[in-house]
Amino acid sequence: MFPMPIDHWKPVNRRLYKLTLPLALLVWLLPLIAVMVTSIRSTEELTEGNYWGWPKHFALFANYHEALTTSPMLHYFFNSVMITVPAVIGAIALAAMAGFSLAVYQFRGNLALFATFVGGNFVPIQILMIPVRDLFLQMGLYNTLWALMLFHIAFQTGFCTLFLRNFIKQLPYELIEAGRIEGAGEWAIFWRIILPLIRPALAALSILVFTFVWNDYFWALCLTQGDDAAPLTVGVAALRGQWVTAWNLVSAGSILAALPSVMMFFAMQRHFVAGLTFGATKG
């Protein structure tokens, strides 16, 4: 029995594609749809036990308004901004300089230092919980914005350095040599030649680091106590009551907490895609 020609499989593949793509999309979006529907569900329906049915009464903006006004959500949002923005800027700045040094300069220990950056990304973060907490307690920074800010800068610099070092390594070295021939110093080469060329990579890393730091819950729970330095992720979890949980308020808070990451991704989507695909078609 001869195998079926390839042309006969094309209609089958097309039908399979049309069937599986909407199903996969529905499975992927189902949790988000459930959270969005719950965020506009009234408290009375939740009291009656209507958690999964279609809402009978829509509380379109009431739950969002209540989540913002009856809890310190704006304070949590301010804390998240004060943690995330400096962490992204600090990690990207340090990683850009470190990646430039590892990619351009050949010195003794270059490979060993690069291997350290690589190996640090494979260390489970859970085993660092007690040492990092004790370190910030001894430094007097526990339960402060500085603790989360400095930790995320240190933790994200390793991955960003690995990414940018490989990115800069793909750039033509002749550009650097041409800059030196023209009399440009090393800082001028880095600032005027390298940084403009790695702008897509910086944008992609900024989105990734921003999303990780903004959505971090583990380290926010380990390094803060109370509401003074708590970011938005801890604040959303605090919306749960001791005896009864208002899931509509928790869902509304979760949607509000996710908006900045989504908005930043769509605002920098073009640079993000360009940064991830740089060099993919290089022959």
Side-chain angles (χ1 to χ4, degrees), residues 79-101:
N79 287 345
S80 291
V81 172
M82 295 301 296
I83 294 168
T84 305
V85 174
V88 172
I89 296 175
I92 295 298
L94 291 175
M97 291 184 285
F100 173 74
S101 301

Side-chain angles (χ1 to χ4, degrees), residues 225-257:
Q225 187 176 8
D227 295 337
D228 293 338
L232 199 55
T233 49
V234 176
V236 171
L239 290 175
R240 299 180 58 183
Q242 184 176 3
W243 307 108
V244 179
T245 300
W247 291 112
N248 51 349
L249 299 184
V250 175
S251 299
S254 301
I255 296 296
L256 293 174

